Amino acid sequence: MSEMRLDVVTLFPETIAQALDYSIMARARDAGVAEFSVVNPREWTTDRHRIVDDAPYGGGAGMVLKPEPLVACIEELLGEDEAPVVLMTPQGTPFDQATAHRLANHDRLIVVCGHYEGIDERVRDLVVTDEISIGDYVLTGGELPALVVIDAVVRLLPGAVGNAESPVTDSFSDGLVEHPHYTRPPEFRGLRVPEALTDGDHAAVRRWRRQQSLLRTMRVRPDLLGRAELTDEDRELLAEALDDAQK
Ligand code: ADE
């Protein structure tokens, strides 16, 4: 099991450092699964005022992050290593579970948080290898998106999540959303736990979960269902559920 080194480049290091200090991220660090470092590109400025942004060429609102400190910072972090340098931006490729798996296969990752109106295009040209968006909306900075990506990647690393199986069985790993979960009590406010889960028949549990997963995906994410590779049994389970719903 090799440790993954994650560097985050941000003008607001405290936000990232704090968020990584809890729960599974902190456990992954303590267990030697991931090592986090958070750096501020301001430290790579060379002028007296430590300026990281400037007005855009061509005019317009907002400020643009200057290329020199960012590129110097990222190049120093990389050294002789090769690693994905991921820029968080609403102009990036939409993030998904497959991308999380791909990034989790590297032993190093550098995540760059944009801020203000944007970042000088030459940073992309020179050092950025991937641009990732977490969704079609615009946030004030790349810090929250960076945390989303880091969380999704780190929990896939061997040893990060207690139950080694859960990252594989969860939603999206098979292209479907997950089935419902229940715990005690067996009845709560008149709502009973489905019998299939309490009868002790493992095959019935598996079928019920698969059926629910298919049904849910059809309701909330028909786009995923269209792309999923369904078995004959899946089709039967879905048909049976739709049949029951008509009764
Ligand atoms: N920065 C601002 N909005 C973002 C988004 N939706 N995804 C990634 N980075 C961002």
Coordinates of all heavy atoms in Angstrom, one line a residue, residues 127-190:
V127 N 1.4 24.2 -17.1 CA 1.5 23.2 -16.0 C 0.2 22.4 -15.7 O 0.3 21.3 -15.1 CB 2.0 23.8 -14.7 CG1 3.5 24.1 -14.8 CG2 1.2 25.0 -14.3
V128 N -0.9 22.9 -16.2 CA -2.1 22.1 -15.8 C -2.3 21.0 -16.8 O -2.2 21.1 -18.0 CB -3.4 23.1 -15.9 CG1 -4.7 22.3 -15.9 CG2 -3.3 24.1 -14.8
T129 N -2.7 19.8 -16.2 CA -2.9 18.6 -17.1 C -4.4 18.3 -17.2 O -4.8 17.7 -18.1 CB -2.2 17.4 -16.5 OG1 -2.7 17.1 -15.2 CG2 -0.7 17.6 -16.4
D130 N -5.2 18.6 -16.2 CA -6.6 18.3 -16.2 C -7.4 19.5 -15.6 O -7.0 20.1 -14.7 CB -6.9 17.1 -15.2 CG -6.3 15.9 -15.6 OD1 -5.1 15.7 -15.3 OD2 -6.9 15.0 -16.2
E131 N -8.6 19.8 -16.2 CA -9.4 20.8 -15.7 C -10.8 20.1 -15.4 O -11.4 19.5 -16.2 CB -9.7 21.9 -16.8 CG -8.4 22.6 -17.1 CD -8.5 23.7 -18.1 OE1 -9.6 24.4 -17.9 OE2 -7.7 23.9 -18.9
I132 N -11.2 20.3 -14.1 CA -12.3 19.6 -13.6 C -13.4 20.6 -13.0 O -13.0 21.5 -12.3 CB -11.9 18.6 -12.5 CG1 -11.1 17.5 -13.2 CG2 -13.2 18.0 -11.8 CD1 -10.7 16.4 -12.2
S133 N -14.6 20.4 -13.4 CA -15.8 21.1 -12.9 C -16.6 20.1 -12.0 O -16.7 19.0 -12.4 CB -16.6 21.7 -14.0 OG -17.9 22.0 -13.5
I134 N -17.1 20.6 -10.9 CA -17.9 19.7 -10.1 C -19.4 19.9 -10.4 O -20.3 19.2 -9.8 CB -17.7 19.9 -8.6 CG1 -18.1 21.3 -8.1 CG2 -16.3 19.5 -8.2 CD1 -18.4 21.3 -6.6
G135 N -19.7 20.7 -11.4 CA -21.1 20.8 -11.8 C -21.4 22.2 -12.5 O -20.6 23.1 -12.4
D136 N -22.5 22.2 -13.1 CA -22.9 23.4 -13.9 C -23.4 24.6 -13.0 O -24.6 24.9 -13.1 CB -23.9 23.0 -15.0 CG -23.2 22.2 -16.0 OD1 -22.0 22.2 -16.1 OD2 -23.9 21.5 -16.8
Y137 N -22.6 25.1 -12.2 CA -22.9 26.3 -11.4 C -21.6 26.9 -11.1 O -20.5 26.3 -11.1 CB -23.7 25.9 -10.1 CG -23.2 24.6 -9.5 CD1 -22.0 24.6 -8.7 CD2 -23.8 23.4 -9.7 CE1 -21.6 23.5 -8.1 CE2 -23.3 22.2 -9.2 CZ -22.2 22.3 -8.4 OH -21.7 21.1 -7.8
V138 N -21.6 28.2 -10.7 CA -20.4 28.9 -10.5 C -20.2 29.2 -9.0 O -21.1 29.9 -8.4 CB -20.3 30.2 -11.3 CG1 -19.0 30.9 -11.1 CG2 -20.4 29.9 -12.8
L139 N -19.1 28.8 -8.4 CA -18.8 29.1 -7.0 C -17.8 30.2 -7.0 O -17.3 30.6 -8.0 CB -18.3 27.8 -6.3 CG -19.2 26.6 -6.4 CD1 -18.5 25.3 -6.0 CD2 -20.4 26.8 -5.5
T140 N -17.6 30.7 -5.7 CA -16.7 31.9 -5.6 C -15.2 31.5 -5.8 O -14.3 32.3 -6.0 CB -16.9 32.6 -4.3 OG1 -16.7 31.7 -3.3 CG2 -18.3 33.3 -4.2
G141 N -14.9 30.2 -5.6 CA -13.5 29.8 -5.7 C -13.5 28.3 -5.9 O -14.5 27.6 -5.8
G142 N -12.3 27.8 -6.1 CA -12.1 26.4 -6.3 C -11.9 25.6 -5.1 O -11.6 24.3 -5.1
E143 N -12.0 26.2 -3.9 CA -11.7 25.5 -2.7 C -12.7 24.3 -2.4 O -12.3 23.2 -2.1 CB -11.6 26.4 -1.5 CG -10.3 27.2 -1.4 CD -10.1 28.3 -2.4 OE1 -11.2 28.7 -3.0 OE2 -9.0 28.7 -2.7
L144 N -14.0 24.7 -2.4 CA -15.0 23.6 -2.2 C -14.9 22.6 -3.2 O -14.9 21.4 -2.9 CB -16.4 24.2 -2.0 CG -16.6 25.1 -0.8 CD1 -17.9 25.8 -0.9 CD2 -16.6 24.2 0.4
P145 N -14.8 22.9 -4.5 CA -14.6 21.9 -5.5 C -13.4 21.0 -5.3 O -13.5 19.8 -5.5 CB -14.5 22.7 -6.8 CG -15.3 23.9 -6.6 CD -15.1 24.2 -5.1
A146 N -12.3 21.6 -4.9 CA -11.1 20.8 -4.6 C -11.3 19.8 -3.5 O -10.9 18.6 -3.6 CB -9.9 21.7 -4.2
L147 N -12.1 20.2 -2.5 CA -12.4 19.3 -1.4 C -13.3 18.2 -1.8 O -13.1 17.0 -1.4 CB -13.0 20.1 -0.2 CG -12.1 21.0 0.6 CD1 -12.8 21.9 1.5 CD2 -11.1 20.1 1.4
V148 N -14.2 18.5 -2.7 CA -15.1 17.4 -3.3 C -14.2 16.4 -4.0 O -14.4 15.2 -3.8 CB -16.1 18.1 -4.3 CG1 -16.8 17.0 -5.1 CG2 -17.1 18.9 -3.5
V149 N -13.3 16.8 -4.8 CA -12.5 15.9 -5.6 C -11.6 15.1 -4.7 O -11.5 13.9 -4.8 CB -11.7 16.7 -6.7 CG1 -10.6 15.8 -7.3 CG2 -12.6 17.2 -7.8
I150 N -10.9 15.8 -3.7 CA -10.0 15.1 -2.8 C -10.8 14.0 -2.0 O -10.3 12.9 -1.8 CB -9.3 16.1 -1.9 CG1 -8.4 17.0 -2.7 CG2 -8.6 15.4 -0.7 CD1 -7.9 18.2 -2.0
D151 N -12.0 14.4 -1.5 CA -12.7 13.4 -0.7 C -13.1 12.2 -1.5 O -12.9 11.1 -1.1 CB -14.0 14.1 -0.2 CG -14.8 13.3 0.8 OD1 -15.3 12.2 0.4 OD2 -14.8 13.7 2.0
A152 N -13.5 12.4 -2.8 CA -13.9 11.3 -3.6 C -12.7 10.4 -4.0 O -12.9 9.2 -4.1 CB -14.6 11.8 -4.9
V153 N -11.5 11.0 -4.1 CA -10.3 10.3 -4.5 C -9.8 9.5 -3.3 O -9.5 8.3 -3.3 CB -9.3 11.2 -5.1 CG1 -7.9 10.5 -5.2 CG2 -9.7 11.7 -6.4
V154 N -9.7 10.2 -2.2 CA -9.0 9.6 -1.0 C -9.8 8.4 -0.5 O -9.2 7.4 -0.1 CB -8.7 10.7 0.1 CG1 -8.3 10.0 1.4 CG2 -7.7 11.7 -0.4
R155 N -11.1 8.5 -0.5 CA -11.9 7.4 0.1 C -11.7 6.1 -0.8 O -12.1 5.0 -0.3 CB -13.4 7.8 0.2 CG -14.1 8.0 -1.1 CD -15.5 8.4 -0.8 NE -16.4 7.3 -0.3 CZ -16.9 6.4 -1.1 NH1 -16.6 6.4 -2.4 NH2 -17.6 5.4 -0.6
L156 N -11.2 6.3 -2.0 CA -11.0 5.1 -2.8 C -9.6 4.4 -2.6 O -9.4 3.3 -3.0 CB -11.0 5.5 -4.3 CG -12.4 6.0 -4.9 CD1 -12.2 6.4 -6.3 CD2 -13.4 4.9 -4.7
L157 N -8.7 5.1 -1.9 CA -7.4 4.6 -1.7 C -7.5 3.4 -0.7 O -8.2 3.5 0.3 CB -6.5 5.7 -1.1 CG -6.3 6.9 -1.9 CD1 -5.5 8.0 -1.2 CD2 -5.7 6.6 -3.3
P158 N -6.7 2.4 -1.0 CA -6.8 1.2 -0.1 C -6.5 1.6 1.3 O -5.5 2.3 1.6 CB -5.6 0.3 -0.7 CG -5.4 0.8 -2.0 CD -5.7 2.2 -2.1
G159 N -7.3 1.2 2.3 CA -7.1 1.5 3.7 C -7.8 2.7 4.2 O -7.8 3.0 5.4
A160 N -8.4 3.5 3.3 CA -9.0 4.8 3.7 C -10.3 4.6 4.4 O -10.7 5.3 5.3 CB -9.1 5.8 2.5
V161 N -11.1 3.7 3.8 CA -12.4 3.4 4.4 C -12.4 2.1 5.1 O -11.9 1.1 4.5 CB -13.5 3.4 3.2 CG1 -14.8 3.0 3.7 CG2 -13.5 4.8 2.5
G162 N -13.0 2.1 6.3 CA -12.9 0.9 7.1 C -13.3 -0.4 6.4 O -12.5 -1.3 6.3
N163 N -14.4 -0.4 5.8 CA -14.9 -1.6 5.1 C -14.3 -1.5 3.7 O -14.8 -0.7 2.9 CB -16.4 -1.6 5.1 CG -17.0 -2.7 4.2 OD1 -16.2 -3.5 3.6 ND2 -18.3 -2.7 4.1
A164 N -13.4 -2.4 3.4 CA -12.7 -2.3 2.1 C -13.6 -2.4 0.9 O -13.2 -2.0 -0.2 CB -11.5 -3.3 2.0
E165 N -14.7 -3.0 1.1 CA -15.6 -3.3 0.0 C -16.5 -2.1 -0.4 O -16.9 -2.0 -1.5 CB -16.6 -4.4 0.4 CG -16.3 -5.7 -0.4 CD -17.4 -6.7 -0.2 OE1 -18.5 -6.4 -0.7 OE2 -17.2 -7.7 0.5
S166 N -16.8 -1.2 0.6 CA -17.8 -0.2 0.3 C -17.5 0.7 -0.9 O -18.4 1.0 -1.6 CB -18.2 0.5 1.6 OG -17.1 1.1 2.2
P167 N -16.2 1.2 -1.1 CA -16.1 2.0 -2.3 C -16.5 1.4 -3.6 O -16.8 2.0 -4.5 CB -14.6 2.4 -2.2 CG -14.1 2.1 -0.9 CD -15.0 1.0 -0.4
V168 N -16.4 0.0 -3.6 CA -16.6 -0.7 -4.8 C -18.2 -0.9 -5.0 O -18.7 -0.8 -6.1 CB -15.9 -2.0 -4.9 CG1 -16.1 -2.7 -6.2 CG2 -14.4 -1.9 -4.6
T169 N -18.9 -1.1 -3.9 CA -20.3 -1.4 -4.0 C -21.1 -0.2 -4.1 O -22.3 -0.2 -4.3 CB -20.8 -2.3 -2.9 OG1 -20.5 -1.6 -1.7 CG2 -20.1 -3.7 -2.9
D170 N -20.6 1.0 -3.8 CA -21.5 2.2 -3.7 C -22.0 2.7 -5.1 O -21.5 2.2 -6.1 CB -21.0 3.3 -2.9 CG -19.5 3.6 -3.0 OD1 -19.0 3.8 -4.1 OD2 -18.9 3.7 -1.9
S171 N -22.9 3.6 -4.9 CA -23.5 4.2 -6.1 C -22.5 4.6 -7.2 O -21.4 5.0 -6.9 CB -24.2 5.5 -5.7 OG -25.4 5.3 -5.0
F172 N -22.8 4.4 -8.4 CA -22.1 4.8 -9.6 C -21.0 3.9 -9.9 O -20.5 3.9 -11.1 CB -21.5 6.3 -9.4 CG -22.6 7.3 -9.2 CD1 -22.6 8.0 -8.0 CD2 -23.6 7.5 -10.1 CE1 -23.6 8.9 -7.8 CE2 -24.5 8.4 -9.9 CZ -24.6 9.1 -8.7
S173 N -20.5 3.1 -9.0 CA -19.4 2.2 -9.4 C -20.0 1.2 -10.4 O -19.2 0.7 -11.3 CB -18.8 1.4 -8.2 OG -17.9 2.3 -7.6
D174 N -21.3 0.9 -10.4 CA -21.9 0.0 -11.4 C -22.8 0.9 -12.3 O -23.6 0.3 -13.0 CB -22.6 -1.2 -10.8 CG -23.7 -0.7 -9.9 OD1 -23.9 0.5 -9.7 OD2 -24.4 -1.6 -9.3
G175 N -22.7 2.2 -12.2 CA -23.5 3.0 -13.1 C -24.9 3.2 -12.6 O -25.7 3.8 -13.4
L176 N -25.3 2.8 -11.4 CA -26.6 2.9 -10.9 C -26.6 3.7 -9.6 O -25.5 3.7 -8.9 CB -27.3 1.6 -10.7 CG -27.4 0.6 -11.9 CD1 -28.1 -0.7 -11.4 CD2 -28.3 1.3 -13.0
V177 N -27.7 4.3 -9.1 CA -27.7 4.9 -7.8 C -28.0 3.8 -6.8 O -28.6 2.7 -7.2 CB -28.7 6.1 -7.7 CG1 -28.3 7.1 -8.7 CG2 -30.1 5.6 -7.8
E178 N -27.7 4.0 -5.5 CA -27.8 2.9 -4.5 C -29.2 2.7 -4.1 O -30.1 3.5 -4.2 CB -27.0 3.3 -3.3 CG -25.7 2.5 -3.2 CD -25.0 2.8 -1.8 OE1 -25.6 2.4 -0.8 OE2 -24.0 3.4 -1.9
H179 N -29.4 1.4 -3.6 CA -30.7 1.0 -3.0 C -30.9 1.7 -1.6 O -29.9 2.2 -1.1 CB -30.6 -0.5 -2.8 CG -29.5 -1.0 -2.0 ND1 -29.4 -0.8 -0.6 CD2 -28.3 -1.5 -2.4 CE1 -28.2 -1.3 -0.2 NE2 -27.5 -1.7 -1.3
P180 N -32.1 1.7 -1.1 CA -32.3 2.3 0.2 C -31.7 1.4 1.3 O -31.4 0.2 1.2 CB -33.9 2.2 0.4 CG -34.4 1.9 -0.9 CD -33.4 1.2 -1.7
H181 N -31.4 2.1 2.4 CA -30.8 1.4 3.6 C -31.7 1.5 4.8 O -32.4 2.5 4.9 CB -29.4 2.1 4.0 CG -28.4 2.0 2.9 ND1 -27.5 1.0 2.8 CD2 -28.2 2.9 1.9 CE1 -26.8 1.2 1.7 NE2 -27.1 2.4 1.1
Y182 N -31.7 0.5 5.6 CA -32.5 0.5 6.9 C -31.7 0.0 8.0 O -30.8 -0.9 7.8 CB -33.7 -0.4 6.7 CG -34.8 0.1 5.8 CD1 -34.7 -0.2 4.4 CD2 -35.8 1.0 6.2 CE1 -35.7 0.2 3.6 CE2 -36.8 1.4 5.3 CZ -36.7 1.1 4.0 OH -37.7 1.5 3.2
T183 N -31.9 0.5 9.2 CA -31.4 -0.1 10.4 C -32.5 -0.2 11.5 O -33.7 0.1 11.1 CB -30.2 0.7 11.0 OG1 -29.6 0.0 12.1 CG2 -30.6 2.1 11.4
R184 N -32.2 -0.7 12.7 CA -33.3 -0.7 13.7 C -33.8 0.7 14.0 O -33.1 1.6 13.9 CB -32.8 -1.4 15.0 CG -32.8 -2.9 14.8 CD -32.2 -3.6 16.0 NE -30.8 -3.4 16.0 CZ -29.9 -4.3 16.3 NH1 -30.3 -5.6 16.5 NH2 -28.6 -4.1 16.3
P185 N -35.1 0.8 14.5 CA -36.1 -0.3 14.8 C -36.8 -0.8 13.5 O -36.8 -0.1 12.5 CB -37.1 0.5 15.7 CG -37.0 1.9 15.2 CD -35.6 2.1 14.8
P186 N -37.4 -2.0 13.7 CA -38.1 -2.6 12.5 C -39.3 -1.8 12.1 O -39.7 -1.8 10.9 CB -38.5 -4.0 13.0 CG -38.3 -4.0 14.5 CD -37.3 -2.9 14.8
E187 N -39.9 -1.0 13.0 CA -41.0 -0.1 12.6 C -40.8 1.2 13.3 O -40.4 1.3 14.4 CB -42.3 -0.7 13.1 CG -43.5 0.2 12.6 CD -44.8 -0.4 12.9 OE1 -44.9 -1.7 13.1 OE2 -45.8 0.3 13.0
F188 N -40.9 2.3 12.5 CA -40.7 3.6 12.9 C -41.8 4.5 12.4 O -42.0 4.6 11.2 CB -39.4 4.2 12.5 CG -39.1 5.6 12.9 CD1 -39.0 6.0 14.3 CD2 -39.0 6.6 12.0 CE1 -38.8 7.3 14.6 CE2 -38.7 7.9 12.3 CZ -38.7 8.2 13.7
R189 N -42.6 5.1 13.3 CA -43.8 5.9 12.9 C -44.7 5.3 11.8 O -45.1 5.9 10.8 CB -43.3 7.3 12.3 CG -42.4 8.0 13.3 CD -42.9 9.4 13.5 NE -42.0 10.1 14.4 CZ -41.7 11.4 14.3 NH1 -42.1 12.1 13.3 NH2 -40.9 11.9 15.3
G190 N -44.9 4.0 12.1 CA -45.8 3.2 11.2 C -45.1 2.7 9.9 O -45.7 2.0 9.1

